[in-house]
Amino acid sequence: MRYLHDIGEYFIMLKDIFRRMTKPSVLKTLIFKEVDDLIINSMGIVIFISFFIGGVVTIQTALNLNNPLIPKSLIGFTARQSIILEFAPTFISIIMAGKVGSYITSSIGTMRVTEQIDALEVMGINSLNYLVLPKIVAMLLYPFVISIAMFVGIGGAYMAGVMGGFVASDQFLEGLQNDFIPFHLAYAFIKSFIFALILATVPSYHGYYMKGGALEVGQASTTSFVWTSVILIIANYVLTQLLLS
């Protein structure tokens, strides 16, 4: 019953976000701040992880291609498919659940503990709209982050394969272009959009409705990361079943 209560409360929160809108001028400032905090400040870790994971995918694929009858271009093909279909949209989202999700939960949770949310309500401001809507709008740029992760990941795969001597440059590029299906990119960006909404709203829920003091803020951040990751993985399975079956 506790889980049913949480699910119901989550959807009520989503409805209440749009109940009473904040002034557009104030909302604009808040959105730009959230873009900086959630998107721009996450680019460094996304680029770092994407580059090296792309390289690892190439090295592992190359080391497992022992049969001389298998063309080396398969290394480029495997790197492209792995990065576009799963690594960039899903793996990066799990990382962002830790970085962005914990930040959202702790920042809103701290405002709840210090009664700043109560102060907003007393002033007649819809605190959900003021705090959560800018995060949702900012996270609409998340597919851009995923596109950067794809580009850097494939770049890392190319450098690891070619500079490591596992595959020739022309063979890797040949595999990169073989049997390319444009819908796979659309699939990745559809997933990224859904994941962005999850990353913005689930941590916000855990921060907004938390109770207690400073210790509970840390516990709420941990709980938020766990549940955001679980929901991302379930959503990934459902979307893959719906879009690729």
Side-chain angles (χ1 to χ4, degrees), residues 128-146:
L128 280 170
N129 181 265
Y130 184 88
L131 296 173
V132 181
L133 184 61
K135 292 174 173 57
I136 294 175
V137 176
M139 288 301 289
L140 294 180
L141 294 174
Y142 186 61
F144 169 74
V145 176
I146 298 304

Side-chain angles (χ1 to χ4, degrees), residues 9-43:
E9 197 171 42
Y10 171 76
F11 283 106
I12 291 172
M13 182 196 78
L14 295 182
K15 176 181 71 70
D16 289 344
I17 288 172
F18 303 96
R19 182 167 46 86
R20 197 168 66 247
M21 300 296 289
T22 306
K23 287 174 58 177
S25 58
V26 176
L27 208 55
K28 178 183 175 183
T29 303
L30 293 171
I31 289 170
F32 280 119
K33 180 182 182 302
E34 297 297 347
V35 168
D36 185 54
D37 290 339
L38 304 180
I39 301 296
I40 304 301
N41 288 346
S42 300
M43 291 304 300

Side-chain angles (χ1 to χ4, degrees), residues 1 3 5 18 23 50 73 79-80 87-89 92 101 109 117 135 155 163-164 172 177-178 191 207 215 229-230:
M1 292 299 293
Y3 293 139
H5 173 269
F18 303 96
K23 287 174 58 177
S50 300
S73 60
R80 184 198 73 203
F87 161 69
I92 290 297
I117 292 177
K135 292 174 173 57
M163 298 180 66
F172 185 92
Q177 300 173 55
N178 279 348
K191 282 208 305 185
L215 179 62
S229 301
V230 168

Side-chain angles (χ1 to χ4, degrees), residues 16 65 69 90 97 101 108 125-126 131 133 155 164 184 214 219:
D16 289 344
L65 289 180
L69 298 178
T90 306
I108 296 179
I125 297 172
N126 179 2
L131 296 173
L133 184 61
H184 285 171
Q219 293 173 345

Side-chain angles (χ1 to χ4, degrees), residues 29-121:
T29 303
L30 293 171
I31 289 170
F32 280 119
K33 180 182 182 302
E34 297 297 347
V35 168
D36 185 54
D37 290 339
L38 304 180
I39 301 296
I40 304 301
N41 288 346
S42 300
M43 291 304 300
I45 188 66
V46 168
I47 290 172
F48 177 80
I49 292 174
S50 300
F51 182 83
F52 285 101
I53 292 294
V56 168
V57 169
T58 294
I59 293 170
Q60 290 184 346
T61 304
L63 293 177
N64 283 282
L65 289 180
N66 299 321
N67 194 326
L69 298 178
I70 300 177
K72 291 289 187 180
S73 60
L74 187 63
I75 297 173
F77 174 82
T78 303
R80 184 198 73 203
Q81 293 297 94
S82 300
I83 291 168
I84 289 178
L85 291 178
E86 276 308 310
F87 161 69
T90 306
F91 187 77
I92 290 297
S93 294
I94 300 296
I95 300 299
M96 293 287 275
K99 185 185 185 300
V100 170
S102 296
Y103 167 77
I104 291 174
T105 302
S106 60
S107 61
I108 296 179
T110 301
M111 293 185 70
R112 171 64 73 188
V113 168
T114 55
E115 300 181 350
Q116 294 179 56
I117 292 177
D118 297 330
L120 289 173
E121 293 290 346

